Amino acid sequence: MSIEAGPFSNPYVLNELQNVAVYEPADLAELEKRTETINDAILYGYRKQRNDAAKGVISLNHHPLFPDDGVHTNHLIHQAVLVQSHNDLEGRVNQRADTLHAIAEKFTAADTMARVYIQENMPNLNDLRQRNMIFAAFRVNAFDGFKGVFDIDGTLTKDDPKYVYYDKTVPGTVFCDKHMATSRKVFPEVYPGGWGQVQEQFQDHFKLAGKMATEIRPGVDELFHHIRQLGGNISILTAGMRPLADGILSKLIHNNEIQEVRAIDLVNVTSNNKPPNILEMATEHEALFYVGDGGSDITLAQANLPISFFFALKDGKFAKELKKQNLVYFTYPDDENAHFETMKTLDQILIMAQRIKNGQHLIAA
């Protein structure tokens, strides 16, 4: 990807960044201090550029660091590059039309059998969780295996609704966020010319931010290991930055059991557009389930996708949208049980699917 615009892609800022000492912070306090140092370098470089522009030494032909400088833009990389990336993804999805059609047929058949089963055996069923368990089990039974696709921020990590750790530990955030004041949807546009420029020099800093400044939800490691022991696969789909994702995942004992990670970096700027990514990740052989909490996950509830069932943070926006759309979903709590509860529910679904395969009567958990 060619980066020719962005708040930090001018020689003044880049020169100041090169003067920042490269070292590995020993703890979170040092990481936060070093973040401040890098932010100061960015600010100082940009002020030097503006001063030279005011003196007529140069013409100010770079995008401004601050939206109130008089020029407003959300286009910090060429739109053509962004559009091309999404078109490429859409093209790959279109080539999978036959596969996606086959998956849809499996869903139709499984859902028909689930409705018939409920009508014949549990005609008065009013419990939403039991209903969802039955539909999930019939869908899993339609496939040979299963795969879990996981969000990261707020799902694998404890919720940080105001993105506090970004501000304190991720260089450039206090500036780049000004370009995203109205929507985080422009993140892929802001990233390459903003955070991406800083990341080029301070790759380890970003990974350390993910590792030091976040807290993993209880049960994540155990859940991942359990899924692999049962023969399932694990993928990550996050709208966040790849180096931060790598840092967060490095905290897991069983991170080597993750088959695929999709996140925003200088090559991939499409992972925040989750529906087409799911369409590309789905296979005829695996029942795909998704685990999220909100934000970028909401679009998955609003599209017709080959997701057998969902897990969502209890009482969160994602869970409410899944309920509104009448989709098959379950919740995990925002406490010490978190993904231990996810693991328990997944086991119940798999046991029920096995009973279907064996021709046994179902007992909804």
Side-chain angles (χ1 to χ4, degrees), residues 148-300:
V149 179
F150 293 79
D151 174 47
I152 293 184
D153 289 333
T155 300
L156 299 186
T157 63
K158 290 190 175 181
D159 198 19
D160 183 21
K162 295 183 179 180
Y163 298 95
V164 174
Y165 94 85
Y166 275 86
D167 289 342
K168 291 185 175 181
T169 64
V170 181
T173 297
V174 294
F175 309 120
C176 291
D177 273 358
K178 294 178 182 293
H179 291 284
M180 301 195 301
T182 57
S183 174
R184 286 188 59 80
K185 291 181 180 179
V186 301
F187 178 72
E189 300 173 24
V190 177
Y191 175 78
W195 287 287
Q197 291 287 308
V198 188
Q199 178 195 324
E200 286 291 299
Q201 185 171 343
F202 302 102
Q203 179 84 18
D204 291 343
H205 187 107
F206 281 71
K207 291 182 179 179
L208 285 172
K211 184 176 182 179
M212 290 183 175
T214 61
E215 186 175 354
I216 299 294
R217 286 192 184 276
V220 172
D221 246 323
E222 291 83 354
L223 173 60
F224 279 14
H225 188 53
H226 190 60
I227 288 173
R228 292 297 292 147
Q229 283 187 316
L230 294 175
N233 290 316
I234 302 165
S235 294
I236 301 296
L237 178 58
T238 174
M241 305 180 206
R242 179 59 190 255
L244 287 176
D246 289 341
I248 292 169
L249 296 175
S250 72
K251 296 160 69 79
L252 300 175
I253 298 173
H254 300 291
N255 60 68
N256 62 326
E257 297 178 337
I258 299 170
Q259 279 73 51
E260 179 182 18
V261 177
R262 295 192 180 201
I264 298 288
D265 57 28
L266 295 177
V267 176
N268 172 28
V269 292
T270 63
S271 69
N272 73 315
N273 189 6
K274 292 191 175 182
N277 275 278
I278 289 292
L279 290 173
E280 187 177 29
M281 298 167 82
T283 74
E284 286 186 67
H285 311 293
E286 297 172 309
L288 187 154
F289 68 89
Y290 184 85
V291 188
D293 68 300
S296 62
D297 305 316
I298 300 295
T299 56
L300 296 176

Side-chain angles (χ1 to χ4, degrees), residues 23-35:
Y23 67 95
E24 183 171 314
D27 53 31
L28 184 57
E30 276 196 16
L31 187 73
E32 291 180 356
K33 184 177 180 180
R34 187 165 181 248
T35 301

